[in-house]
Amino acid sequence: MHGMYWQSQTYNQRLVNMFRNTIVQMAMSRFKWINLPPHCDARFLEWTLLYEGVATIAFPRNREGEFYSTRATFDSKPNVYDNYTKWRSTGNNNWNFYCSYDNGVLVWDNNTRYPLMSGIMIKAQELAHIQLTKEMNRFHQQIPWILKGPQSKKQDLINITKQVAGGEQAIIALDSFGDIEVDALMTNVPFIGNELAQDEKNAWNGVYQLLGIENSTLKMERQTQDEIDAQRQPTTMVALASISERRKAADYLNEHFGQYLMAPIEVVWNNDLISRNYNFLHHDQAM
């Protein structure tokens, strides 16, 4: 099946980590921050929002107008609307200064204020489970039997299975014909590759919806464009729940601290327009 088959716990964890890393990359690439102040780091800002659900863009009071995008630690009780009015900008190397809406703003990842990482871990586990099921189902097609033999020859039977699983010829040298007798019991496990492929596609669609990423919906027979758009509506709502919170923070910074900014801060859905423009221009030149 794979090189780590006989170390299944390690392989399973690596599989989960692989899917988690892929989903995290998508999550952190969703939004583009435009005109962030020079000392702000958009990657770290999105990383903090993803894992903690909240971050801050603020400046130390002894460096007026020098904004930083960091973690936020609450330093007051929430008010009647469940909003915090005082917090601290915290980070590595003993980074710590007090904040309020007089020198910064809180940035929330979404309007429920729950971090996405718990949902991402659930989706990564689901995708890993589907992958393991696919591998096991294919394994049963490769070896559609169970070996049965005497206890004294257990290691020989294990070696046969290892050889077949590794794509090798299953050959064991014996001293005489009576040394080992093997019965092969058929498992009769059906191949369910198509069902698992659809299951995996559905799982990825769940990931896209969790992140608010539009994906191509399979058009069923007699399905209108309005019906397809209606299926995409929940994904759009999730995207708005996240981008709206970022824009609220950007609008506050623009309104209250515009004199310190080189240009108004904006947040948009990320697209690779540079590559599109490059390909479009060079395609025209080639024509």
Side-chain angles (χ1 to χ4, degrees), residues 155-170:
Q155 188 58 47
D156 292 326
L157 300 175
I158 291 176
N159 290 337
I160 291 176
T161 306
K162 282 185 178 182
Q163 288 173 326
V164 176
E168 303 176 23
Q169 293 291 334

Side-chain angles (χ1 to χ4, degrees), residues 19-20 28 46 49 73 119 192 199 203 205 209 252:
F19 284 116
R20 179 183 64 185
M28 290 184 60
E46 286 297 328
L49 291 173
T73 303
I192 53 174
D199 193 23
N205 285 339
Q209 187 176 72
Y252 186 88

Side-chain angles (χ1 to χ4, degrees), residues 2 11 13 22-23 59 68 74 76 83 90 99 108 124-125 135-136 141 150-151 178 191 221 235:
H2 45 70
Y11 176 77
Q13 188 58 54
T22 300
I23 300 172
F59 59 82
Y68 295 87
F74 302 129
S76 69
N83 293 319
T90 58
C99 305
W108 297 95
Q125 292 277 1
E135 292 178 5
M136 186 56 65
Q141 310 313 307
Q151 179 65 31
F191 180 64
E221 189 176 357
T235 301

Side-chain angles (χ1 to χ4, degrees), residues 127-153:
L127 287 164
H129 185 264
I130 294 172
Q131 178 65 26
L132 289 169
T133 304
K134 288 169 63 177
E135 292 178 5
M136 186 56 65
N137 188 244
R138 291 199 301 265
F139 182 74
H140 280 296
Q141 310 313 307
Q142 180 186 8
I143 309 176
W145 35 259
I146 299 173
L147 291 176
K148 183 176 71 172
Q151 179 65 31
S152 60
K153 299 300 179 180

Side-chain angles (χ1 to χ4, degrees), residues 13-28 47 50-51 116-125 127-128 204 207 211:
Q13 188 58 54
R14 289 185 177 181
L15 201 58
V16 172
N17 291 344
M18 180 191 73
F19 284 116
R20 179 183 64 185
N21 186 57
T22 300
I23 300 172
V24 167
Q25 287 182 29
M26 290 190 291
M28 290 184 60
W47 177 272
L50 180 64
Y51 278 84
L116 279 181
M117 274 310 300
S118 58
I120 288 176
M121 283 303 304
I122 291 173
K123 292 300 182 181
Q125 292 277 1
L127 287 164
W204 276 114
V207 171
L211 301 180

Side-chain angles (χ1 to χ4, degrees), residues 1 20 44 56 81 101 111 128 145 155 195 197 229:
M1 289 171 63
R20 179 183 64 185
F44 185 75
T56 183
Y81 295 115
Y101 285 97
N111 57 9
W145 35 259
Q155 188 58 47
E195 291 85 347
D229 292 340

Side-chain angles (χ1 to χ4, degrees), residues 43-63:
R43 187 210 68 85
F44 185 75
L45 178 58
E46 286 297 328
W47 177 272
T48 303
L49 291 173
L50 180 64
Y51 278 84
E52 300 185 13
V54 65
T56 183
I57 298 177
F59 59 82
R61 298 185 188 277
N62 61 347
R63 302 184 211 170

